[in-house]
Amino acid sequence: MFYCQRCGRQIADDELRCHFCGIVQEREGTSIETKPCKKCKEAIPVNANYCPYCGLDQATLFYDEMSFDDSKDDQKEIRDERENEDDSLEDPLQTLESFEINDPSDVEKFLQKIEEERDKIREANAKKYHIAKNESKKPGLIVSTKLMLKDWLTVDKRMGTGDFWWGYLGMYLLTIIVSVIMGAVLAGIYMYYPKMVGTAFDVMFTVWMIFFFITTITAFIRRFHDSELPMFMIVFRFIPVAGELFCLFFAMRPQMISNGRYTFESKSKRKKRTK
């Protein structure tokens, strides 16, 4: 098994042209200028991006090359990563080319097969971009509500279905608790400053409703990101009642991963982690 010297994907030993990128492979024995691979030290074409033998990206910087000379575990890890990448990029239609449709019942089977292949692609992409189903390991009423409150001003990340629905329920339960607290506070104000009750109620009610609205708005946006829906759909949330029902309907869509644009980390955290 060889690796394409241009794109690094696995190709057959006798394959002279990569079936992924179409680049002609320069094999050993031809009159070409070579260089040693940074990992396995095999002679490879001087213009090769990847080693045809171990699959190492030649742009990799080694601070201590001697410690990597005989590292078989590293070579195996590189091969495993290449194989996983190949799986995530596999065209699902390749597995359906031999599917025969002879009667109407076969059409339903064919559509089911397509959906199964799509699920495989989603799972492969999730592994490729390191994206789980939810940010919380075990979504629940308390943990998911805390997550929603913590990210009440965050929009540049994802939010899984489990965390969203538990957190959304938690926000409404918090509204009940806040209402009880507001009632107790207003009762105390009434005892000493009766004329201030109306003003105090307006202030507390307005502050909580603004906080509640912003928190749920940003949660919807993160949920849309997780299902790869356009962010502008959040404008429907500003329509009373019907708009919220509309957004809740689309919030039920499953997670979709065709790229790694959004994860369960905000962009600022990702930048700090990669520095």
Side-chain angles (χ1 to χ4, degrees):
M1 185 65 69
F2 278 86
Y3 297 88
C4 174
Q5 62 194 48
R6 174 61 63 84
C7 66
R9 297 172 182 164
Q10 283 189 338
I11 58 177
D13 296 349
D14 57 350
E15 194 170 353
L16 298 180
R17 181 184 293 273
C18 175
H19 62 278
F20 292 102
C21 65
I23 295 298
V24 176
Q25 306 298 300
E26 297 175 331
R27 296 299 192 197
E28 185 179 0
T30 58
S31 56
I32 57 173
E33 186 179 356
T34 61
K35 63 181 179 181
C37 171
K38 292 184 177 181
K39 176 71 70 172
C40 64
K41 303 304 180 182
E42 291 283 350
I44 63 175
V46 69
N47 295 322
N49 296 332
Y50 295 86
C51 175
Y53 303 100
C54 68
L56 178 71
D57 186 350
Q58 296 302 297
T60 303
L61 295 177
F62 287 86
Y63 295 97
D64 184 7
E65 292 190 5
M66 296 300 295
S67 63
F68 292 90
D69 287 345
D70 301 320
S71 179
K72 296 182 179 179
D73 293 337
D74 288 347
Q75 294 180 17
K76 183 178 182 300
E77 182 179 352
I78 293 170
R79 293 192 184 99
D80 292 341
E81 289 179 357
R82 295 296 171 204
E83 291 174 359
N84 292 336
E85 183 178 356
D86 292 341
D87 292 339
S88 65
L89 297 173
E90 181 182 359
D91 185 0
L93 296 179
Q94 292 180 357
T95 61
L96 301 174
E97 291 178 351
S98 60
F99 199 97
E100 297 182 359
I101 299 178
N102 299 317
D103 56 68
S105 62
D106 290 337
V107 175
E108 184 177 353
K109 295 179 181 178
F110 180 72
L111 295 176
Q112 183 178 1
K113 184 67 175 177
I114 291 178
E115 188 62 30
E116 291 175 356
E117 295 299 328
R118 288 179 61 188
D119 291 339
K120 291 180 181 178
I121 295 296
R122 293 170 186 167
E123 292 177 2
N125 283 334
K127 293 179 180 178
K128 177 181 177 182
Y129 297 116
H130 307 287
I131 301 176
K133 289 290 185 181
N134 288 279
E135 183 172 355
S136 304
K137 293 183 178 180
K138 293 182 178 180
L141 182 61
I142 297 177
V143 65
S144 299
T145 303
K146 286 183 178 180
L147 177 64
M148 187 173 285
L149 293 173
K150 183 187 73 173
D151 291 336
W152 75 289
L153 289 176
T154 304
V155 296
D156 60 342
K157 58 186 292 191
R158 291 174 177 261
M159 190 169 198
T161 52
D163 279 326
F164 175 82
W165 289 109
W166 278 114
Y168 204 76
L169 174 61
M171 288 302 298
Y172 274 97
L173 294 178
L174 275 179
T175 301
I176 297 175
I177 296 174
V178 169
S179 299
V180 173
I181 295 174
M182 285 174 56
V185 173
L186 291 174
I189 294 175
Y190 181 79
M191 292 175 61
Y192 301 98
Y193 306 99
K195 295 182 179 179
M196 295 293 296
V197 172
T199 303
F201 172 80
D202 292 339
V203 172
M204 290 188 292
F205 179 80
T206 302
V207 169
W208 174 253
M209 289 307 299
I210 291 175
F211 177 76
F212 179 89
F213 193 73
I214 293 176
T215 303
T216 54
I217 284 286
T218 56
F220 272 117
I221 293 175
R222 298 194 299 275
R223 180 79 272 277
F224 290 165
H225 285 164
D226 191 51
S227 55
E228 296 191 350
L229 289 171
M231 179 178 172
F232 72 83
M233 289 179 57
I234 198 62
V235 298
F236 293 102
R237 179 65 178 80
F238 294 88
I239 302 174
V241 184
E244 183 175 11
L245 293 176
F246 178 85
C247 291
L248 286 172
F249 173 77
F250 281 99
M252 292 189 291
R253 282 172 55 90
Q255 184 183 68
M256 298 287 291
I257 304 175
S258 63
N259 58 68
R261 182 179 179 184
Y262 294 104
T263 65
F264 291 128
E265 287 184 338
S266 61
K267 292 181 180 178
S268 59
K269 287 185 179 179
R270 291 201 297 272
K271 289 180 180 179
K272 291 180 181 179
R273 182 169 53 81
T274 55
K275 285 183 179 180

